[in-house]
Structure formats: C-alpha cells, structure tokens
Amino acid sequence: MKVIDIDGVEVFIEQTEKYIQINDIQGDELIRLWKSLKEQYPGYTVNLCFHDMLEPIEVLTTIGAEVLEDCITMQVIPHEYVPYYDAEITALEKTDFSEFAMLHDTVNPAPYMYWTSSRIWDKWDKWRIFVIRTNGKITGYTLLLIALRDNSKGEIFCIEAESKTQREALLSVAVRCAFENDKEVVIRVVDRDNLCEMEEVVAVGFREIGFYIGYSIIIPDKSPTIG
C-alpha cells in the first residue's frame, strides 16, 4: 500500500483496488478527514482500525461505519513459547499456490480478510505459509507475515484446520519459523468471542497484551455530512 497524507492524517491507499486504511484516528480528525475522503475517493472501501484506544463511536455511527472485527491482541516471545507438534506440516511452495488460493479465498473472503490470495501472491517474499494435507489435498493452513514495519515482529494470520490439534500444531510451527527468522515477538489477533482459538494460542505460549477493533465503510457518491 502507498502511504499518503490527507489533511495531516497518515492514510494507506491502494488506488487500483479502491481501498483505504486509517489507523487510530481521533474523532475530530475523522470529521475533518471524512469531508476530504467523500470528495476525492467515492466508491472506495475504508477500513478504520483502532488499537488499544476507545474508538469515536458517535462519529463512526454518523458516517455509517460498521464493526468489521473486535479482537484481543496476543503475543508470544521466545522464552514463553511452548512447542507443540502433532501433525504433518509443510511449507507451501509456489507450485501449489493456486490450490491454497482457492481454499483461502473461500474460508476467509474479502473484506473480512484484507490479505486475499492475490495480495499474498504479490508480496510472496514477505510470507511463510504452512499447510496440512489430507489425501494429498490442502485441508489446513496458516499464514505468517515476516515483513512488518517493525522488523522485530512477525504476525500470524488465519489458522484453518479440521481439529484443535492441527490448529495448535500449525500455530506452533509458524511461531518457530518466526523466531528462526530473528523475530523477537510474534503477534496473533484473536476474535474476542472465539474462546476456542484463545485456548489454542495460550497453549502455545501467547498472552494478552491489548485489543483491536476495526470498522469498515464504502464511501458512497453522496456521503453523510458530519461536523
């Protein structure tokens, strides 16, 4: 994504996909920014992400933004990591990407998942993907992003598998890979209401460090006026 400045606010934008992401914006900034966005970017999907802060609910409600995800931020560091292996897991090769892509885009469709298969493919070198196969077909996987803005961190996206045992094994392999790539911290964001996944990440050594909530809205041709 390209980073631009609009009215003094850092905005991440992908013009070819009509996508905008804005992080941790205050209510008064959003009021000011929204006027510019509705004039310059009609039809764009805007994701508003809030980390460890109270979101400006009144403003978000006024512009029609809806909750996309409400999550707990978890992290694990090397000396707290608990290895867990009880499944045959392999790293995905490019030759098998099309099979992975079909599964990933089906179980984690946009806009709920920003990292679609096409975006992952475009940033292939930034990812490590681990898969489980049943009768030769990919039935489970997890994604590890090893190229964050903070190079000391890795982040795990998606843990899809047929059993709790397989999910914990995928998670453990991804964490080990991150540490082997010199990451000091691994992040996993878990849906607040997903108690099963919370148990799985805790089993591998993750602990809660904060929270995250994301909102989404498509800018119409005629957007609500606020302020």
Side-chain angles (χ1 to χ4, degrees):
M1 283 186 283
K2 181 180 179 181
V3 182
I4 63 174
D5 181 285
I6 302 177
D7 296 339
V9 177
E10 183 180 65
V11 175
F12 298 83
I13 185 167
E14 286 188 354
Q15 292 181 317
T16 57
E17 299 188 29
K18 293 190 141 185
Y19 175 85
I20 288 172
Q21 180 175 316
I22 302 163
N23 297 326
D24 304 328
I25 190 169
Q26 300 292 333
D28 56 345
E29 291 180 315
L30 180 54
I31 290 173
R32 185 178 71 251
L33 181 64
W34 185 252
K35 295 177 181 179
S36 297
L37 291 179
K38 69 181 183 180
E39 292 173 359
Q40 300 176 39
Y41 300 101
Y44 275 62
T45 296
V46 180
N47 278 7
L48 298 152
C49 308
F50 301 92
H51 304 82
D52 304 319
M53 62 176 287
L54 295 176
E55 69 275 25
I57 294 177
E58 183 176 345
V59 177
L60 292 164
T61 300
T62 301
I63 68 175
E66 297 183 352
V67 175
L68 184 66
E69 50 189 348
D70 185 3
C71 304
I72 300 295
T73 305
M74 310 287 289
Q75 79 167 27
V76 62
I77 55 180
H79 75 269
E80 295 177 346
Y81 167 52
V82 181
Y84 181 94
Y85 310 109
D86 191 16
E88 186 174 342
I89 297 170
T90 57
L92 181 72
E93 301 291 339
K94 277 188 170 183
T95 52
D96 295 324
F97 189 84
S98 59
E99 181 186 358
F100 156 78
M102 290 183 62
L103 175 61
H104 175 61
D105 291 338
T106 298
V107 298
N108 288 289
Y112 300 100
M113 170 55 64
Y114 169 78
W115 287 110
T116 60
S117 63
S118 61
R119 287 173 173 153
I120 292 171
W121 178 260
D122 289 341
K123 305 290 185 181
W124 172 261
D125 292 340
K126 299 180 183 293
W127 292 93
R128 300 294 184 269
I129 304 173
F130 299 96
V131 299
I132 290 176
R133 287 180 169 84
T134 303
N135 297 323
K137 294 184 178 181
I138 297 174
T139 55
Y141 71 92
T142 192
L143 308 172
L144 168 65
L145 182 60
I146 61 169
L148 297 172
R149 297 178 82 181
D150 182 345
N151 196 47
S152 69
K153 296 180 180 180
E155 183 168 358
I156 293 173
F157 295 79
C158 305
I159 306 170
E160 302 293 342
E162 296 176 328
S163 70
K164 180 176 182 292
T165 296
Q166 290 182 342
R167 288 191 295 274
E168 289 182 3
L170 282 165
L171 182 64
S172 183
V173 167
V175 171
R176 182 183 65 179
C177 177
F179 293 146
E180 289 174 348
N181 279 271
D182 300 321
K183 304 305 173 186
E184 300 172 9
V185 176
V186 183
I187 301 295
R188 172 64 180 152
V189 176
V190 180
D191 287 343
R192 189 179 295 274
D193 296 330
N194 192 336
L195 298 181
C196 290
E197 185 175 358
M198 189 69 71
E199 290 178 359
E200 292 160 9
V201 298
V202 168
V204 179
F206 283 79
R207 57 184 173 82
E208 181 178 341
I209 61 165
F211 62 92
Y212 159 82
I213 186 165
Y215 286 76
S216 185
I217 181 173
I218 297 175
I219 303 175
D221 290 334
K222 293 184 178 180
S223 304
T225 300
I226 61 176

